[in-house]
Amino acid sequence: MPASASNYGFSTSQNDVRTANPLPRAVLRSNNYLLLDGEWRFAVDPDDTGLRDGWYLAHNYQQTASWPGSVEEHMAQSQPEAPQWQDKVVVWYEREFTLPERGDDGTHSLFQLTFGACGYETRVWLNGFLLSTIEGEQVHYGEYTSFSFELREEHLRPVNRLTVRIVDTMDADTTRGKQESHVYKRGGIWYQTYTGAVRSVWLEMVERNRLRSRVGVDSIIEDRMVRFNLTTRIHDPGLYTLRLQVYDRVAPTPQPLATADFPLRLEAGQRQQRVVMELAGAKLWAPGSPNLYRLVAQLIDSEGYSAEIETHFGLRKVESRGTYVYLNNEPIYLDGILYQPGTATFEEMQRHMHAMQALGCNLVRVHIAGVDPRIYNLADELGLLLWVEVPSPHSSTPKSRENHRAELLRMLALIESHPSIVIWSLYNEDWGAQDIATNPETRRYIVEMYHYMHINHPQFLVVDNDGWQHISQEGRLKSDLLTAHVYTPELERWSELLDRMVQGDLNNVAVLPLVIGDPFFYGRQKPLIVSEWGGFGFADYGGPQSSDERTERIRQFKQELRKRPIAGDVYTQATNIEDERNGLIDFHGGELTVPQGLLASKSASPEDTPPQQG
């Protein structure tokens, strides 16, 4: 690639999260970065001989590809007549970059290479040397979250060659979401794979001793206490000071609202540290009043050298209490919509978020997929609640559970700071846990992760298996919400099923029983949410095809929901995706195909439903 390529040269990160964040992450650094997006050399390795033949040392690439982009797109462009891969795909990417000049002699800084997301299986070489991630992985597994490499000085050259090998398979044990596998083939609700170089990659200067780009936030709203969980990365052991400063985002002033210093003795390596600050007089975050604060966190060494990150946060509390969900100690009805981003670009996802809010939604259920982290930031700013889910494997095995746990932990590390994220699903419709009713090991794992979330991440509500087959142990539901997926196009049948649910019939409302394991007696002790319904326009779900008829049917179904002690609902779905032609929003432009406010229900106030907050 010529040295005059437009994406050469260091850029400076913005120092305010209110400005456009150029990189797909939620945390900002006041440093320099080199975006490595653009044209890369590209090759398919159909016989998987590249490792044996040393392609990372030298290879004659015949094609090019634009990064970011999917393997599927790049193969179609380089081999237009070839069919899509069906079992396993191996591809290689390579490019050069000129090492930027840096301001110091390397005493305080080093070069870090970060992939916003890539996979499912990724190996990276620099000038022929295999790199290991900061976590020590020579092979990174997963395709939904970022991972980074610290570059060693002895491997760097004035002009450097970066080589990436990506492998994906139809293995049902991997966390796939709704991408096809050996178990679920493409068609209907199952989609084409979309894998590989799917987010940006960049080089940046970072401090040798620093805070990593991951911040956990949990607030106690009654006394305005905020618990921050930060991750330190240390090369030079010694005494450090962790300094936190909180600023008002709406009316920024030179003086912070609160400041706290925490002395730490840190050894080499990586560790997490939880600290607590009081933010007297802080306003709470909620739909309709998404009050956010700016956090500047510094790690200062004994000589006064400071490494800094910045993010935003909000104070909020979410609870499952009896029949309803409570936000900041007030009952709230969840007007939700199912969102499957599919192949949407960051700009398209931004338009989708605004459109879903225009529909009257206060909740977006991001369906078993990872999205650009800046979308979580946008939800924070808009005041949209998010329900996120672990992309599911498609088989239930010890390996699939190991992969599931690893994916959950990767996601948590990077997105646990957002006040908008209020609900997590571990599984959906028992995909990847098909033996949940018969296999004690499957249930044991899900219950273990449910308790893990409660202990380590109490700021979230957790759903064990969304849709049906929730786990009961000794009559206690191992889910904070009792959820049901109910599809019928008939209004009379819809009303009948809703009546059965609120009366405690757990066996005759969804495809499978709502609860398995020990007997569970509903008694309105858990919030009941119809977490999928409608889907009008998709052949499998039935219902009206025209926009006017669909609009009226949705209104009628929504009215029936609000007549009953139900805590919320999630309409299926936001946009069309492949065979599912049931969207209410244009995929590319973001325009609504139904009236604004259609999914809002706060104007309805039946006697047996609580007022809606926000």
Side-chain angles (χ1 to χ4, degrees), residues 166-187:
I166 300 172
V167 180
D168 204 353
T169 70
M170 293 289 176
D171 183 359
D173 282 345
T174 62
T175 49
R176 314 189 59 80
K178 291 183 73 171
Q179 300 181 66
E180 67 173 317
S181 69
H182 289 312
V183 172
Y184 300 122
K185 304 308 294 181
R186 184 182 180 186

Side-chain angles (χ1 to χ4, degrees), residues 127-147:
N127 300 319
F129 293 98
L130 180 64
L131 301 181
S132 294
T133 67
I134 293 177
E135 285 70 33
E137 309 163 309
Q138 289 190 337
V139 182
H140 175 77
Y141 295 98
E143 60 179 286
Y144 299 100
T145 54
S146 64
F147 53 98

Side-chain angles (χ1 to χ4, degrees), residues 264-487:
L264 298 172
R265 179 178 292 277
L266 298 174
E267 301 299 325
Q270 180 169 297
R271 60 167 287 186
Q272 289 188 329
Q273 180 65 51
R274 174 165 288 192
V275 294
V276 180
M277 288 182 68
E278 182 179 358
L279 196 57
K283 298 178 181 178
L284 302 184
W285 184 98
S289 56
N291 299 300
L292 293 171
Y293 294 88
R294 184 164 66 99
L295 172 69
V296 177
Q298 297 171 301
L299 189 66
I300 306 169
D301 67 17
S302 58
E303 298 178 354
Y305 187 85
S306 173
E308 180 178 301
I309 60 173
E310 179 181 331
T311 191
H312 67 231
F313 69 95
L315 280 73
R316 66 106 180 102
K317 174 185 179 182
V318 64
E319 291 180 286
S320 163
R321 193 192 305 169
T323 310
Y324 299 111
V325 172
Y326 284 74
L327 185 66
N328 301 333
N329 293 324
E330 298 289 337
I332 180 172
Y333 187 88
L334 301 178
D335 287 309
I337 190 167
L338 192 75
Y339 178 47
Q340 305 191 82
T343 59
T345 64
F346 171 59
E347 291 74 20
E348 288 169 337
M349 285 189 281
Q350 286 180 300
R351 291 193 282 270
H352 297 164
M353 295 294 285
H354 285 281
M356 288 184 284
Q357 189 170 53
L359 277 169
C361 297
N362 62 14
L363 172 82
V364 174
R365 182 176 162 216
V366 183
H367 194 32
I368 53 175
V371 297
D372 188 306
R374 291 171 292 184
I375 293 300
Y376 305 123
N377 278 352
L378 178 58
D380 295 340
E381 294 166 358
L382 293 177
L384 269 174
L385 302 170
L386 294 182
W387 180 337
V388 298
E389 305 174 321
V390 185
S392 60
H394 291 178
S395 62
S396 183
T397 66
K399 183 63 177 177
S400 79
R401 291 188 280 278
E402 179 183 328
N403 290 337
H404 180 276
R405 179 186 174 92
E407 195 72 70
L408 171 63
L409 297 182
R410 284 191 292 263
M411 293 177 71
L412 282 165
L414 295 172
I415 64 174
E416 64 172 328
S417 63
H418 300 280
S420 58
I421 299 177
V422 292
I423 303 171
W424 281 76
S425 283
L426 300 177
Y427 285 90
N428 176 77
E429 292 186 356
D430 58 57
W431 301 338
Q434 294 91 335
D435 55 359
I436 189 171
T438 58
N439 188 347
E441 289 299 319
T442 301
R443 293 196 299 277
R444 186 176 298 116
Y445 167 72
I446 296 173
V447 170
E448 174 190 338
M449 298 316 297
Y450 172 76
H451 289 302
Y452 170 87
M453 292 288 288
H454 269 235
I455 294 169
N456 294 282
H457 304 280
Q459 68 269 41
F460 305 123
L461 301 181
V462 182
V463 177
D464 56 349
N465 177 48
D466 185 52
W468 48 68
Q469 296 203 113
H470 299 281
I471 299 171
S472 170
Q473 278 191 347
E474 299 178 351
R476 298 185 181 189
L477 202 65
K478 298 302 177 178
S479 177
D480 295 324
L481 306 172
L482 179 60
T483 67
H485 294 178
V486 181
Y487 287 105

Side-chain angles (χ1 to χ4, degrees), residues 48 79 94 150 236 322 440 498 566 571:
D48 195 10
Q79 303 171 332
E94 189 170 274
E150 293 176 345
D236 307 304
L498 294 182
I566 291 173
Y571 182 80

